[in-house]
Short mmCIF file of all heavy atoms in Angstrom, two decimals:
data_model
loop_
_atom_site.label_atom_id
_atom_site.label_comp_id
_atom_site.label_asym_id
_atom_site.label_seq_id
_atom_site.Cartn_x
_atom_site.Cartn_y
_atom_site.Cartn_z
N ILE A 30 3.26 -55.14 17.16
CA ILE A 30 4.59 -54.97 16.56
C ILE A 30 5.38 -56.31 16.75
O ILE A 30 5.03 -57.17 17.51
CB ILE A 30 5.37 -53.83 17.21
CG1 ILE A 30 5.66 -54.08 18.73
CG2 ILE A 30 4.67 -52.50 17.05
CD1 ILE A 30 6.52 -53.08 19.42
N SER A 31 6.49 -56.37 16.00
CA SER A 31 7.44 -57.48 16.21
C SER A 31 8.24 -57.32 17.49
O SER A 31 8.54 -56.15 17.90
CB SER A 31 8.36 -57.54 15.01
OG SER A 31 9.40 -58.50 15.24
N ASP A 32 8.68 -58.37 18.06
CA ASP A 32 9.50 -58.24 19.31
C ASP A 32 10.78 -57.52 19.06
O ASP A 32 11.33 -56.83 19.96
CB ASP A 32 9.74 -59.62 19.96
CG ASP A 32 10.52 -60.55 19.05
OD1 ASP A 32 10.73 -60.25 17.86
OD2 ASP A 32 10.97 -61.63 19.61
N THR A 33 11.29 -57.60 17.82
CA THR A 33 12.56 -56.83 17.51
C THR A 33 12.37 -55.30 17.35
O THR A 33 13.33 -54.66 17.23
CB THR A 33 13.18 -57.45 16.19
OG1 THR A 33 12.22 -57.43 15.15
CG2 THR A 33 13.65 -58.88 16.44
N ASP A 34 11.11 -54.91 17.29
CA ASP A 34 10.82 -53.48 17.25
C ASP A 34 10.84 -52.83 18.63
O ASP A 34 10.72 -51.61 18.76
CB ASP A 34 9.44 -53.25 16.64
CG ASP A 34 9.48 -53.36 15.12
OD1 ASP A 34 10.43 -52.86 14.52
OD2 ASP A 34 8.58 -53.97 14.50
N ILE A 35 11.01 -53.69 19.69
CA ILE A 35 11.29 -53.16 21.02
C ILE A 35 12.75 -52.89 21.11
O ILE A 35 13.54 -53.83 21.21
CB ILE A 35 10.79 -54.07 22.13
CG1 ILE A 35 9.26 -54.29 22.03
CG2 ILE A 35 11.16 -53.54 23.44
CD1 ILE A 35 8.72 -55.19 23.03
N ILE A 36 13.22 -51.64 21.10
CA ILE A 36 14.65 -51.35 20.99
C ILE A 36 15.30 -51.07 22.38
O ILE A 36 16.51 -51.09 22.41
CB ILE A 36 14.88 -50.20 20.00
CG1 ILE A 36 14.17 -48.92 20.42
CG2 ILE A 36 14.46 -50.60 18.61
CD1 ILE A 36 14.49 -47.74 19.55
N ALA A 37 14.47 -50.79 23.36
CA ALA A 37 15.05 -50.50 24.66
C ALA A 37 14.04 -50.79 25.75
O ALA A 37 12.80 -50.66 25.53
CB ALA A 37 15.62 -49.12 24.73
N LEU A 38 14.56 -51.08 26.93
CA LEU A 38 13.70 -51.28 28.06
C LEU A 38 13.96 -50.14 29.11
O LEU A 38 15.16 -49.87 29.30
CB LEU A 38 14.02 -52.59 28.71
CG LEU A 38 13.37 -53.03 30.13
CD1 LEU A 38 11.87 -53.11 29.94
CD2 LEU A 38 14.02 -54.25 30.67
N MET A 39 12.98 -49.55 29.65
CA MET A 39 13.23 -48.44 30.60
C MET A 39 13.24 -49.03 32.05
O MET A 39 12.30 -49.71 32.40
CB MET A 39 12.08 -47.44 30.50
CG MET A 39 11.95 -46.75 29.15
SD MET A 39 13.41 -45.71 28.76
CE MET A 39 13.30 -44.43 30.03
N GLU A 40 14.31 -48.82 32.71
CA GLU A 40 14.48 -49.24 34.08
C GLU A 40 14.90 -48.05 34.93
O GLU A 40 15.95 -47.52 34.76
CB GLU A 40 15.52 -50.36 34.12
CG GLU A 40 15.08 -51.71 33.53
CD GLU A 40 16.08 -52.84 33.78
OE1 GLU A 40 17.16 -52.55 34.31
OE2 GLU A 40 15.76 -53.96 33.57
N GLY A 41 14.04 -47.68 35.87
CA GLY A 41 14.35 -46.59 36.70
C GLY A 41 14.51 -45.28 35.97
O GLY A 41 15.34 -44.37 36.39
N GLY A 42 13.83 -45.15 34.81
CA GLY A 42 13.96 -43.93 34.02
C GLY A 42 15.08 -43.97 33.08
O GLY A 42 15.33 -42.99 32.33
N ASN A 43 15.91 -45.00 33.04
CA ASN A 43 17.07 -45.15 32.21
C ASN A 43 16.86 -46.16 31.08
O ASN A 43 16.32 -47.28 31.35
CB ASN A 43 18.30 -45.55 33.00
CG ASN A 43 18.68 -44.60 34.12
OD1 ASN A 43 18.74 -43.32 33.79
ND2 ASN A 43 18.90 -45.06 35.31
N PRO A 44 17.19 -45.85 29.85
CA PRO A 44 16.96 -46.76 28.77
C PRO A 44 18.09 -47.84 28.70
O PRO A 44 19.24 -47.52 28.77
CB PRO A 44 17.01 -45.87 27.55
CG PRO A 44 17.90 -44.70 27.97
CD PRO A 44 17.70 -44.52 29.40
N ILE A 45 17.69 -49.06 28.57
CA ILE A 45 18.58 -50.20 28.48
C ILE A 45 18.44 -50.71 27.05
O ILE A 45 17.39 -51.28 26.75
CB ILE A 45 18.32 -51.33 29.44
CG1 ILE A 45 18.19 -50.79 30.89
CG2 ILE A 45 19.34 -52.45 29.36
CD1 ILE A 45 19.44 -50.16 31.41
N PRO A 46 19.40 -50.50 26.12
CA PRO A 46 19.26 -50.96 24.75
C PRO A 46 19.14 -52.40 24.66
O PRO A 46 19.78 -53.22 25.39
CB PRO A 46 20.52 -50.47 24.03
CG PRO A 46 21.55 -50.24 25.12
CD PRO A 46 20.71 -49.87 26.38
N LEU A 47 18.25 -52.96 23.74
CA LEU A 47 18.07 -54.32 23.55
C LEU A 47 18.47 -54.68 22.09
O LEU A 47 18.73 -53.81 21.26
CB LEU A 47 16.56 -54.69 23.74
CG LEU A 47 15.96 -54.39 25.05
CD1 LEU A 47 14.50 -54.73 24.98
CD2 LEU A 47 16.65 -55.06 26.17
N TRP A 48 18.55 -56.06 21.79
CA TRP A 48 18.95 -56.51 20.49
C TRP A 48 20.25 -55.91 20.03
O TRP A 48 21.16 -55.79 20.83
CB TRP A 48 17.82 -56.24 19.51
CG TRP A 48 16.46 -56.87 19.85
CD1 TRP A 48 15.40 -56.19 20.33
CD2 TRP A 48 16.14 -58.25 19.70
NE1 TRP A 48 14.35 -57.08 20.58
CE2 TRP A 48 14.76 -58.39 20.17
CE3 TRP A 48 16.83 -59.37 19.34
CZ2 TRP A 48 14.14 -59.61 20.23
CZ3 TRP A 48 16.14 -60.64 19.33
CH2 TRP A 48 14.78 -60.70 19.78
N GLY A 49 20.30 -55.39 18.79
CA GLY A 49 21.50 -54.80 18.29
C GLY A 49 21.48 -53.33 18.33
O GLY A 49 22.11 -52.67 17.44
N ASN A 50 20.96 -52.79 19.39
CA ASN A 50 20.87 -51.36 19.49
C ASN A 50 21.88 -50.78 20.49
O ASN A 50 22.30 -51.47 21.38
CB ASN A 50 19.41 -50.89 19.94
CG ASN A 50 18.39 -51.27 18.87
OD1 ASN A 50 18.40 -50.70 17.77
ND2 ASN A 50 17.57 -52.23 19.15
N VAL A 51 22.19 -49.50 20.31
CA VAL A 51 23.28 -48.89 21.10
C VAL A 51 22.80 -47.56 21.60
O VAL A 51 22.21 -46.73 20.87
CB VAL A 51 24.53 -48.73 20.21
CG1 VAL A 51 25.66 -48.06 21.08
CG2 VAL A 51 25.06 -50.09 19.71
N LEU A 52 23.07 -47.24 22.81
CA LEU A 52 22.71 -45.93 23.41
C LEU A 52 23.96 -45.09 23.33
O LEU A 52 25.04 -45.48 23.81
CB LEU A 52 22.27 -46.06 24.86
CG LEU A 52 21.96 -44.77 25.61
CD1 LEU A 52 20.71 -44.11 25.00
CD2 LEU A 52 21.74 -45.11 27.11
N VAL A 53 23.82 -43.87 22.68
CA VAL A 53 25.02 -43.01 22.52
C VAL A 53 24.60 -41.60 23.05
O VAL A 53 23.48 -41.20 23.09
CB VAL A 53 25.47 -42.85 21.07
CG1 VAL A 53 25.86 -44.23 20.57
CG2 VAL A 53 24.33 -42.31 20.20
N LYS A 54 25.62 -40.88 23.40
CA LYS A 54 25.51 -39.47 23.74
C LYS A 54 26.28 -38.66 22.71
O LYS A 54 27.49 -38.65 22.67
CB LYS A 54 26.07 -39.20 25.14
CG LYS A 54 25.98 -37.70 25.56
CD LYS A 54 26.62 -37.43 26.91
CE LYS A 54 26.59 -35.99 27.23
NZ LYS A 54 27.24 -35.61 28.54
N PRO A 55 25.57 -37.93 21.87
CA PRO A 55 26.24 -37.13 20.82
C PRO A 55 27.16 -36.07 21.45
O PRO A 55 26.87 -35.54 22.54
CB PRO A 55 25.10 -36.43 20.11
CG PRO A 55 23.93 -37.36 20.24
CD PRO A 55 24.11 -37.89 21.68
N HIS A 56 28.28 -35.77 20.82
CA HIS A 56 29.29 -34.87 21.35
C HIS A 56 28.86 -33.42 21.22
O HIS A 56 28.14 -33.10 20.29
CB HIS A 56 30.60 -35.07 20.59
CG HIS A 56 31.31 -36.31 20.92
ND1 HIS A 56 32.02 -37.01 20.02
CD2 HIS A 56 31.37 -37.07 22.05
CE1 HIS A 56 32.59 -38.11 20.60
NE2 HIS A 56 32.16 -38.15 21.76
N ASP A 57 29.27 -32.63 22.17
CA ASP A 57 29.16 -31.16 21.96
C ASP A 57 30.31 -30.70 21.07
O ASP A 57 31.16 -31.40 20.62
CB ASP A 57 29.05 -30.45 23.28
CG ASP A 57 30.31 -30.59 24.10
OD1 ASP A 57 31.41 -30.89 23.55
OD2 ASP A 57 30.17 -30.49 25.36
N ILE A 58 30.34 -29.40 20.82
CA ILE A 58 31.25 -28.83 19.89
C ILE A 58 32.75 -29.11 20.33
O ILE A 58 33.59 -29.50 19.51
CB ILE A 58 31.06 -27.33 19.67
CG1 ILE A 58 29.69 -27.12 18.98
CG2 ILE A 58 32.16 -26.68 18.84
CD1 ILE A 58 29.53 -27.75 17.66
N SER A 59 33.06 -28.83 21.53
CA SER A 59 34.42 -29.04 22.06
C SER A 59 34.84 -30.51 21.89
O SER A 59 35.98 -30.77 21.51
CB SER A 59 34.55 -28.58 23.46
OG SER A 59 33.72 -29.34 24.35
N GLU A 60 33.97 -31.44 22.24
CA GLU A 60 34.28 -32.83 22.18
C GLU A 60 34.43 -33.24 20.66
O GLU A 60 35.31 -34.05 20.31
CB GLU A 60 33.20 -33.73 22.79
CG GLU A 60 33.10 -33.60 24.31
CD GLU A 60 31.90 -34.33 24.85
OE1 GLU A 60 30.77 -34.11 24.32
OE2 GLU A 60 32.08 -35.00 25.83
N THR A 61 33.64 -32.66 19.84
CA THR A 61 33.68 -32.97 18.36
C THR A 61 34.98 -32.50 17.77
O THR A 61 35.66 -33.20 16.97
CB THR A 61 32.55 -32.23 17.65
OG1 THR A 61 31.30 -32.76 18.11
CG2 THR A 61 32.63 -32.46 16.13
N ASP A 62 35.54 -31.36 18.13
CA ASP A 62 36.83 -30.88 17.67
C ASP A 62 37.91 -31.85 18.07
O ASP A 62 38.86 -32.13 17.26
CB ASP A 62 37.14 -29.50 18.27
CG ASP A 62 36.29 -28.36 17.72
OD1 ASP A 62 35.70 -28.61 16.59
OD2 ASP A 62 36.17 -27.32 18.35
N GLU A 63 37.83 -32.42 19.27
CA GLU A 63 38.81 -33.36 19.72
C GLU A 63 38.67 -34.67 18.89
O GLU A 63 39.71 -35.32 18.44
CB GLU A 63 38.62 -33.71 21.14
CG GLU A 63 39.57 -34.64 21.77
CD GLU A 63 39.37 -35.06 23.22
OE1 GLU A 63 38.54 -34.27 23.87
OE2 GLU A 63 39.99 -35.92 23.77
N VAL A 64 37.48 -35.09 18.55
CA VAL A 64 37.26 -36.34 17.77
C VAL A 64 37.83 -36.11 16.30
O VAL A 64 38.41 -36.99 15.80
CB VAL A 64 35.75 -36.65 17.70
CG1 VAL A 64 35.48 -37.63 16.59
CG2 VAL A 64 35.26 -37.14 19.00
N ILE A 65 37.61 -34.93 15.75
CA ILE A 65 38.10 -34.65 14.45
C ILE A 65 39.66 -34.69 14.41
O ILE A 65 40.27 -35.35 13.52
CB ILE A 65 37.68 -33.25 13.93
CG1 ILE A 65 36.16 -33.26 13.65
CG2 ILE A 65 38.43 -32.89 12.67
CD1 ILE A 65 35.59 -31.94 13.31
#
């Protein structure tokens, strides 16, 4: 693969995003209502 296809590095079981990638936690319903 290309080096840019490596999107994250795993450290201690936790993903560390690389390049232009972002780690997000999608909202649950209550948080989503607040966002709206």
Side-chain angles (χ1 to χ4, degrees):
I30 63 175
S31 169
D32 61 349
T33 54
D34 283 318
I35 297 180
I36 60 176
L38 173 66
M39 297 298 293
E40 290 188 350
N43 298 313
I45 309 299
L47 303 177
W48 301 104
N50 296 293
V51 179
L52 179 65
V53 300
K54 178 184 178 183
H56 289 146
D57 61 25
I58 295 299
S59 61
E60 292 173 313
T61 297
D62 289 340
E63 182 179 349
V64 166
I65 291 175

